[in-house]
Structure formats: C-alpha cells, structure tokens
Amino acid sequence: MTGTETKQALSFTDFKAEVLNDYKIATTSREASLLGRREVLTGKAKFGIFGDGKEVPQLAMAKAFKNGDFRSGYYRDQTFMMAIGELTIQQFFAGLYGHASIEADPMSAGRQMGGHFATHSLDENGNWKNLTQQKNSSSDISPTAGQMPRLLGLAQASKIYRNVRGIDATNFSDNGNEIAWGTIGNASTSEGLFFETINAAGVLQVPMVMSVWDDDYGISVHARHQTTKENISEILKGFQRDEKGKGYEIIRAKGWDYPELVAAYEKAAKIAREEHVPVLIHVYQLTQPQGHSTSGSHERYKNADRLAWEGEFDCIAQMKKWITDNNIAPQEELDAIDAQAKADVLEAKKAAWTAYQNPIKEERDGLVALLKSIAAGSDNGVFIEKFIHELTGIKEPMRKDALVAARKVLRLVVKENGKQALSAWIKNYIEDIQPKYSSHLYSQSDKNIFTVAAVAPDYGDTPEDADGRMIMRNNFDALFAKYPEALVFGEDCGNIGDVNQGLEGLQEKYGDFRICDAGIREATIMGQGIGMAMRGLRPIAEIQYLDYLLYALQIMSDDLATVHYRTAGRQKAPLIIRTRGHRLEGVWHSGSPMGMIVNAVRGINVLVPRNMTKAAGFYNTLMETDEPALVIECLNGYRLKEKMPVNLGEFKTPIGVVETIKEGTDITLVSYGSTLRLVEQAAKELQEVGINAEIIDVQSLLPFDVNHDIVKSVAKTNRLLVIDEDVPGGGSAYILQQIIDVQDAYKHLDSKPDTLAAKEHRPAYATDGDYFSKPSVEDIYEKVYSIFNEAKPNEFPELY
Ligand SMILES: Cc1ncc(C[n+]2csc(CCOP(=O)(O)OP(=O)(O)O)c2C)c(N)n1
Ligand SMILES: [Mg+2]
C-alpha cells in the first residue's frame, strides 16, 4: 500500500466513523422523542415537545459550532445539544419528568418543561466559568421568537470584544471569533421580534447564524397563513449583501440532505466568524413525525399526501438512504445502530426515572414512618391510617402527595402529642424542598446587591450647583473610565449623548462601540443588553422614555427577569436598563406605570431615584453587583440644580433601602420619584395648619424597604398615605401591600391606610392636562387634611 492509499483509506475510515456517529446521534435522539411521547401519554411526564424531524440539520450545525460559541434557540434542538455533548439521554428524561436537581437536569433543575435547553455559564457560587473553553447555549424560553433579541446581543458581544481594547476577555472571547447561532421555527418568523432582530443584526453586522427550521407548519397553521409567499428566505432576499451594501449571506438547504447541510453550515460559519457578517440559513422540507407536541395529533390537520411525503422525506430516513446509496455503510450496520439506540434510550430512561423517584420515595417513606408512630398514639388513628394507606398506595409519588397528606393529618392531631413532631417535619420539609422551586430569583452570589456598601456623595469644601444632567454625565464619564467593559446604547445615545445630554461628549472620548446610537427598536435594544451581559460585558441599555418600555417589557419579563431563576443560578445577565419617566407632557411622555412594571419583572431590581445624584449612585452600586436592574430617572429633573459630588463614580446609593427625607410625627407620607417634590411642598403647607408629616422616599420598589423602616415610621405617626403617579391600584397598591401585609403596619394605624394616585386614564397634555390627571400639591394637601378631618373634625373642619 502506498502512502497516499493509506491516507485515503484512513480518511475514508474517519469519514465513515464521523457519518455513522452522526447517524447514531440522530437515531438516538429520534428514539428519545418517540419514548418521550409515550412517557407523557402514560402519565409519567406532564408535557412533551420534541425534536423529531429536525435531527439532521442540527448535526450539521453542531459540526460548525466551536468552543466559545453561543446558541439561542427553541424547543426543537435536542439533537444539537446531544451532538455538542451537552445533553445526555438520561438528562433528556430528567428534564421531561421535572427532576428538581441541577445535577440531574442541568437545563433548568426541573423548572422548565423539557425541550428548553441551557449550558452553565456560572459555577455553583455564581462565578463565571471560562466560556471560551466550552460550548454555550443561552437558556431557552417558550414565547415564540423570544430567543431573538438576546441572540442579537450574544452576537454583538463578539463584535465588541474584537473592536474594543482594554477589556479582560479571558473568560469570554478569543478576539471576537465566536458566533451566536440562532434557531427558530418557520411560523415563529411571523413575530415582530424576528424581523426586528434580523434588521438590527444586518445593521450592526454581527456574527450571527440564524437557522430557520421550516416544516411548513406552526402547530396546525400552514405557512400560507404565516409567511408571505410561504417562503422566508425568498422574502428576505433584499437583505442579501451585494454591491449596494452590507447585509446578510442567505443560504438555503434541504432539511433531509445531509451533505448539503454540512456544506451550508461550514460556509455560514466561515463567513460569520471571519467577516462578522450575519448569515441566514433557511432549512426547508423538514417534517414533524409525531406532530407538534403531546397535546395533539397532526393527523387532524395534515392530509394523506402530506403525511406520505413526510414519511418519505423524514430526514433520518433520507440520511440512511444516502449512507447506503453511497456505500458508506451497509443497511445491516445501520439497523444495528438503530437497535443499539433503542436499547440505550430505554436504559437511560429507566435510570432517569429511578433517579427522579428515589429521593421522593425516601422522603415519603420517612413521612410514612412518622405518621405510623403518630397514628399509634392518636384518637384519630383510623383516619391517619387511611392517609398512610393512600400515600403508600401511590406507585409514582410526587412531593405534593406527601405534603398534602402531612398537612391534612396535622389538622387531625393539632390537639395531640403527635402534633409537635409532624409540624416540625412539615416545616423542615418545606424549608428543605422549597428552594428547589424558588431559589435564584435574584443573585445569591457574593456580588448580590446587598453586598455593596452605601457611600455618600462627597461635595468637597466648596460645593457647586449644577444641572442634574451634568451630574449624570460626569458620573458616566467616571464609570466608563473605570470599567472598560461598560457600554451604553439606545436611541440618540451616541452622537448627541442622549436626549437630555447625560452622555454628552462621551462618544468622542470612548468611541462609538461603547457610546452608541441604536435604531428605534426597544425590544432588541433590550436583547442587545441581555446577550452582551450574558457574555461578560456590562451593557447599559437605554430606553428613551419610560412610556416606550412597553415594547421591551415582554422580553424583560420573559427573558431577563427569569434567566437566573430558570437556570437555577447557572446563567446571569447583569444588565442595567436606563430610562426616564414619570412626569412631563402628554399621553406618551408622562406615564408612570410602576404597578405594571414591578408585577411583570420580579427578578429585576426596579429603582426610582428622586434626583440625578441618587440615580448616579444607583449606577455606581449596580456596576459592582451581578444583578439586572431598571433605573428610572426623573424626566423633569435634568435641568434642576443639584450639588456636584467630587467622588464621581464612587458614591453609592444603597438598593432596597428607603430614605426619610423629612421627619415628622403626625402621618407617614410614602412616595418616590418626581412626585416627591410635590409631597415635600404639600408637607410644608400642611405644617402651617399644624400637621407634621414624615416623608419617606422608597427609592427602590424591587426590592422594597428590606430593613422595614416604613413600619417604624408608622408606629410613630399611626397614619399612612402612599402617593404616586400610577393608576389607582397600581404602584401605590403594591407599596401598601408591602407596608400593611409584609411589614404588618396595620397594628399601628389610627386611620385607614390610604393611597393617592393619578386618574385612571393616561395623563392629558400640557399644564392643565397634568393638573387634572396627576396628583397635585393641592390634592396631596387635601388628602392628608381629610385624614385629619376624620380623626379630629373640630381641629380640622371639612373643606368641602
Ligand atoms: C408568543 C407565543 N405564542 C404562541 C405560542 C404557542 N406556540 C408554541 S409553538 C407554536 C408554533 C411554532 O411553530 P414554528 O415556529 O413553526 O415551530 P415548530 O414547532 O413548527 O418547529 C405556537 C403557536 C407560544 N409559545 N408563544
Ligand atoms: Mg414549523
């Protein structure tokens, strides 16, 4: 044998091994889907959504996917996760069962339904791992196209790492060579988030490879109802880069054609990685052998012809045919792989089930032993025995079964000796188990917000007054100098330094990668921030006005607020969102929808500073933490004078701590943001009639008054009024719930705890619109006065 022959022989062996290994992954993945569906139909798992029919393109994508790269995709990608070595069959089933353990189900510790994938960016202490040494997947979310905004940021991070000097990229990037790989279903491309992201990535020229898995359907709805011309790559043709300008490389590949797919992904990766040009791969002619999910069957909406075509063009069947037609391996060898896959999946499934059930059974057995001993000494022994019988009779127990029984039995023994032990068992059990379902909504690392100490602004020997916006600007200057990984972007942020000039001149100083204009596209501005924060940068995403946060609120709520929680602490996105609002002019520049926001974004800190120094202090604090936050600056505060601190970038407003801005004895007035100036004025006027109000600035809505200082004030004044500019029952109701319910302030009240909010409608335009829409100084005065009129009518006769 000559040298060349040996080489060729070896390379064919290698080639064959690689193809067969791919085939094995595909067929194993398929078997997992088939068995997974059965697990749901027999009641062992609750819901199943699988990747069958999409296996082969994912093998091709996995081949081109390198260490350091990121995926942002959706629930069909199990084969890809298996191919990159980040999902075992046992883990697949652990996820399906909802095994609440990060070791058993590394995707989400059982928090997400199966089919939602993730890798670990953080270790168990919340510290970054080296992301350049592993293959990364950002954690999936269920809202269709919700993976798109973050994808943009994941890709943009490479651009920043390649172009901005001075950032310590050790854990995050090798000169920006990483690709962010997106996947989406054909029907989900109908969402606005898809188009917004596609356009933004074209503008930004980021290394993003976007795959559309096109199976012609979105559940039962055919492409003719989804996509113009039923063809996403056809209608995106205008994005193709050409002599007229930069854009995309658009590639089409058939979903069952293994060599075509491998070539397509190789080409796409080269373009994106080397040139930082986004690529769209439209993978068409895919199928869905078992229909959309376990909640229905596709025979209801696919006709016989379609079903027959899907059978023939099933990507695995076609791959098999290609292997045999090209004499890479004989049919028998592939059949043997199929048989092995079946056996492997069955075995891994059993192992996952046992691992999932064993601890639950042990916990239940512990309870049963305790209940037996309690029953023996109880007057209600027979009834308790019945619970024991039922509990032990459950073949596949849940934790819920044990707790329900324990809590019901507790009622039976509440007056007996057995109570003590059972009540202790229940308390310990909940204390032990609850974190499995509730931990990591916020950071539990040593960089959580409570680890940063407050630092007061230092005004030096000769304090100077300045416009609020100058304090903001000078403080940002100090922050950008201190943190090379910090960057800000938003509408009008770059060239003019934001609409209120809080970033004036900083683009010239720090360059247009760090101080950057963005298109008018709030959701993807948010996504840029989420994705870049997930890759170690410290983005500040600016939403120009609070009223327009709604465009981004969905992605804040679904993605940013949940990322740490839904990965049980293994991913984070310490994004700072900067916006301005509360009070200016007209329906869309005066909103203060704080109730909506705090109720939509548990998992994000929500900060409402009353002036620019407080706001700047929040940014300084946040840069030292690893938590996401929304900071709402007062829209009408940029031209108001404040003293200029000398310790710019260093003074820190503590988070979750209220501030008493006026001491008083008669009533506690609680407010935040722009409204406080009116409250202060009203308090002055109330003083004239002998009502001495205490004013508390909440400052931080999430978290809320962690030291419970407000109740201490109410204990002193015995009266409480909460004032804000949201609708009635909005932010003020939230605050009242915190004070009355969480802090138990009702014990100290001599008058009804009250709220004063804006009108139910949006604020009308101009001075009178404002006066008749939002609480005014007179409204606040009269509300407080009426509380005293009720308590002491002689002293405070009624006004009306
Ligand atoms: C915002 C939103 N709307 C509706 C749904 C329910 N839903 C889940 S998957 C799906 C169809 C998606 O079809 P496609 O994008 O083609 O992906 P495929 O399942 O076909 O791979 C729908 C409507 C959802 N998850 N999110
Ligand atoms: Mg589809």
Side-chain angles (χ1 to χ4, degrees):
M1 213 188 262
T2 66
T4 331
E5 278 170 341
T6 316
K7 203 168 156 221
Q8 277 175 349
L10 266 181
S11 62
F12 176 73
T13 315
D14 287 349
F15 170 69
K16 175 179 172 179
E18 190 175 332
V19 170
L20 291 193
N21 186 49
D22 274 353
Y23 179 77
K24 178 163 193 214
I25 293 168
T27 193
T28 305
S29 172
R30 173 65 60 90
E31 196 52 38
S33 300
L34 299 176
L35 205 52
R37 184 174 173 93
R38 259 188 282 155
E39 289 300 275
V40 176
L41 300 185
T42 57
K44 276 193 167 143
K46 282 242 142 165
F47 177 76
I49 188 147
F50 304 112
D52 48 306
K54 315 286 190 298
E55 291 92 346
V56 174
Q58 293 178 29
L59 299 170
M61 178 168 137
K63 277 186 200 306
F65 196 95
K66 294 223 159 76
N67 279 353
D69 285 2
F70 258 90
R71 163 190 171 276
S72 183
Y74 80 118
Y75 50 78
R76 296 287 179 217
D77 293 346
Q78 69 194 48
T79 313
F80 168 79
M81 294 300 289
M82 290 171 186
I84 62 166
E86 291 295 333
L87 178 69
T88 66
I89 308 298
Q90 187 169 333
Q91 288 164 349
F92 169 93
F93 283 98
L96 189 66
Y97 300 138
H99 192 158
S101 146
I102 195 71
E103 289 75 30
D105 170 24
M107 304 298 128
S108 79
R111 291 175 182 191
Q112 295 223 68
M113 52 174 63
H116 291 66
F117 306 109
T119 52
H120 294 185
S121 302
L122 307 175
D123 65 20
E124 62 278 16
N125 300 316
N127 298 315
W128 289 113
K129 295 167 75 178
N130 188 330
L131 307 185
T132 68
Q133 302 295 311
Q134 62 180 39
K135 299 191 164 72
N136 303 286
S137 172
S138 60
S139 160
D140 294 354
I141 60 177
S142 296
T144 46
Q147 70 273 35
M148 295 298 299
R150 152 179 24 109
L151 172 65
L152 179 67
L154 291 168
Q156 195 190 1
S158 291
K159 189 109 187 164
I160 300 295
Y161 282 118
R162 190 174 283 183
N163 290 287
V164 176
R165 299 292 123 225
I167 309 175
D168 178 4
T170 320
N171 285 334
F172 306 108
S173 180
D174 170 17
N175 194 37
N177 287 332
E178 304 77 23
I179 293 173
W181 302 79
T183 70
I184 194 167
N186 58 298
S188 302
T189 65
S190 308
E191 295 278 11
L193 292 180
F194 174 78
F195 285 94
E196 187 175 316
T197 305
I198 290 291
N199 176 53
V203 169
L204 290 170
Q205 289 290 291
V206 289
M208 166 179 126
V209 177
M210 181 73 232
S211 296
V212 180
W213 305 147
D214 188 349
D215 58 11
D216 292 315
Y217 285 87
I219 310 187
S220 67
V221 182
H222 189 261
R224 67 182 164 273
H225 303 292
Q226 302 279 5
T227 308
T228 308
K229 301 185 182 180
E230 299 179 29
N231 187 333
I232 192 68
S233 54
E234 179 67 23
I235 61 171
L236 290 178
K237 258 185 184 166
F239 283 84
Q240 174 65 46
R241 59 179 175 163
D242 55 21
E243 64 287 346
K244 290 192 211 116
K246 292 177 179 173
Y248 275 73
E249 190 62 32
I250 297 178
I251 300 171
R252 287 166 56 81
K254 291 181 288 299
W256 47 266
D257 189 332
Y258 177 72
E260 183 173 278
L261 287 160
V262 172
Y265 277 86
E266 206 174 304
K267 178 179 171 192
K270 193 166 159 44
I271 293 168
R273 213 179 290 286
E274 290 173 12
E275 300 176 51
H276 276 191
V277 165
V279 182
L280 178 104
I281 309 182
H282 181 190
V283 180
Y284 62 106
Q285 294 189 3
L286 280 169
T287 71
Q288 215 170 73
Q290 301 189 103
H292 176 76
S293 72
T294 51
S295 36
S297 91
H298 61 157
E299 285 80 7
R300 283 181 301 163
Y301 50 84
K302 287 177 187 163
N303 63 25
D305 284 353
R306 171 76 196 191
L307 290 168
W309 178 85
E310 289 206 8
E312 188 183 350
F313 283 88
D314 181 299
C315 62
I316 296 184
Q318 287 292 327
M319 184 178 181
K320 204 170 185 177
K321 187 164 175 298
W322 175 79
I323 293 171
T324 51
D325 284 358
N326 289 280
N327 296 320
I328 298 164
Q331 180 75 30
E332 305 78 65
E333 204 172 339
L334 299 181
D335 291 345
I337 292 175
D338 292 348
Q340 187 62 47
K342 258 194 182 21
D344 290 349
V345 170
L346 195 62
E347 194 182 326
K349 184 213 84 164
K350 283 188 187 151
W353 180 253
T354 310
Y356 164 63
Q357 280 280 281
N358 275 353
I360 297 178
K361 283 188 171 152
E362 273 170 34
E363 289 155 27
R364 181 206 40 195
D365 293 348
L367 173 67
V368 167
L370 176 64
L371 291 182
K372 279 185 178 158
S373 73
I374 291 172
S378 168
D379 292 347
N380 287 314
V382 229
F383 300 104
I384 302 174
E385 285 295 346
K386 195 168 155 277
F387 279 107
I388 296 172
H389 184 71
E390 272 173 21
L391 193 55
T392 46
I394 300 172
K395 250 181 71 199
E396 290 155 3
M398 305 279 150
R399 294 198 161 100
K400 178 183 170 186
D401 298 319
L403 257 185
V404 167
R407 293 163 100 170
K408 294 255 157 77
V409 171
L410 183 66
R411 299 171 196 173
L412 298 175
V413 297
V414 68
K415 292 180 184 156
E416 298 180 356
N417 290 339
K419 177 212 153 172
Q420 224 63 33
L422 185 54
S423 129
W425 185 92
I426 294 171
K427 277 200 281 192
N428 290 341
Y429 191 66
I430 292 178
E431 202 176 298
D432 228 27
I433 302 300
Q434 188 71 48
K436 289 183 184 295
Y437 301 95
S438 298
S439 72
H440 295 97
L441 182 57
Y442 296 92
S443 171
Q444 298 175 199
S445 81
D446 59 9
K447 292 191 195 65
N448 76 68
I449 51 163
F450 301 114
T451 60
V452 183
V455 176
D458 175 359
Y459 296 107
D461 297 332
T462 49
E464 273 178 36
D465 275 354
D467 282 356
R469 68 116 189 154
M470 285 305 293
I471 292 167
M472 197 58 80
R473 197 212 82 102
N474 293 356
N475 191 74
F476 274 131
D477 192 0
L479 281 184
F480 289 115
K482 187 170 168 185
Y483 297 100
E485 66 275 27
L487 63 160
V488 64
F489 43 89
E491 294 147 23
D492 301 291
C493 276
N495 193 16
I496 64 164
D498 92 42
V499 284
N500 294 93
Q501 293 174 297
L503 298 164
E504 189 190 13
L506 299 186
Q507 187 177 65
E508 278 164 29
K509 196 162 170 185
Y510 298 102
D512 57 7
F513 280 103
R514 294 187 62 199
I515 317 290
C516 189
D517 282 318
I520 308 176
R521 44 175 182 75
E522 287 75 12
T524 46
I525 288 174
M526 197 62 67
Q528 282 176 266
I530 298 170
M532 286 197 280
M534 284 178 142
R535 290 190 59 195
L537 296 167
R538 291 309 309 266
I540 302 173
E542 179 174 318
I543 300 297
Q544 196 161 69
Y545 297 103
L546 178 61
D547 302 74
Y548 308 125
L549 191 76
L550 260 176
Y551 277 61
L553 191 61
Q554 178 266 328
I555 215 66
M556 282 174 70
S557 181
D558 285 329
D559 196 0
L560 181 61
T562 65
V563 63
H564 202 54
Y565 170 78
R566 71 181 192 263
T567 57
R570 299 310 168 106
Q571 291 188 10
K572 66 179 174 183
L575 165 64
I576 298 174
I577 304 149
R578 171 185 194 217
T579 189
R580 50 187 74 84
H582 296 318
R583 190 177 280 243
L584 196 71
E585 295 299 343
V587 174
W588 282 283
H589 295 86
S590 300
S592 186
M594 298 314 305
M596 174 175 73
I597 292 168
V598 294
N599 289 319
V601 303
R602 304 295 162 100
I604 301 176
N605 299 286
V606 175
L607 309 175
V608 280
R610 69 177 179 276
N611 60 36
M612 298 305 149
T613 310
K614 289 281 172 187
F618 276 137
Y619 294 123
N620 298 342
T621 302
L622 287 166
M623 289 302 293
E624 292 194 2
T625 78
D626 62 359
E627 298 196 32
L630 168 69
V631 181
I632 300 166
E633 299 165 17
C634 292
L635 193 39
N636 59 5
Y638 295 104
R639 306 279 158 192
L640 299 179
K641 298 288 181 205
E642 295 178 35
K643 281 186 290 177
M644 177 68 76
V646 290
N647 55 343
L648 292 160
E650 303 296 335
F651 61 91
K652 296 185 188 80
T653 315
I655 293 172
V657 180
V658 304
E659 187 179 337
T660 303
I661 54 177
K662 178 187 172 302
E663 298 215 350
T665 50
D666 300 336
I667 185 168
T668 302
L669 304 181
V670 176
S671 190
Y672 57 89
S674 299
T675 318
L676 274 169
R677 278 192 287 279
L678 310 186
V679 175
E680 284 182 284
Q681 180 58 35
K684 271 190 202 142
E685 297 172 14
L686 286 161
Q687 197 86 50
E688 291 163 14
V689 292
I691 297 171
N692 184 9
E694 179 142 306
I695 304 176
I696 296 182
D697 178 5
V698 169
Q699 304 195 88
S700 161
L701 289 169
L702 289 176
F704 187 88
D705 187 15
V706 293
N707 300 325
H708 290 196
D709 286 329
I710 298 178
V711 71
K712 292 171 203 154
S713 168
V714 177
K716 183 173 71 173
T717 65
N718 310 117
R719 295 184 219 283
L720 171 66
L721 176 65
V722 178
I723 305 126
D724 82 349
E725 302 180 21
D726 196 0
V727 293
S732 58
Y734 163 75
I735 292 175
L736 203 60
Q737 180 264 343
Q738 291 289 315
I739 302 171
I740 301 297
D741 193 359
V742 179
Q743 300 190 10
D744 283 345
Y746 67 90
K747 293 176 187 163
H748 308 289
L749 288 170
D750 290 341
S751 294
K752 181 184 81 159
D754 220 335
T755 61
L756 177 62
K759 294 282 181 290
E760 276 194 311
H761 53 74
R762 302 284 181 104
Y765 174 61
T767 302
D768 283 346
D770 176 79
Y771 194 79
F772 285 93
S773 302
K774 297 247 180 172
S776 62
V777 174
E778 290 67 45
D779 292 335
I780 300 166
Y781 178 101
E782 290 175 8
K783 186 78 177 179
V784 174
Y785 186 93
S786 74
I787 292 171
F788 283 86
N789 163 250
E790 188 200 51
K792 304 174 187 172
N794 293 337
E795 216 175 312
F796 302 98
E798 64 183 5
L799 286 170
Y800 300 102

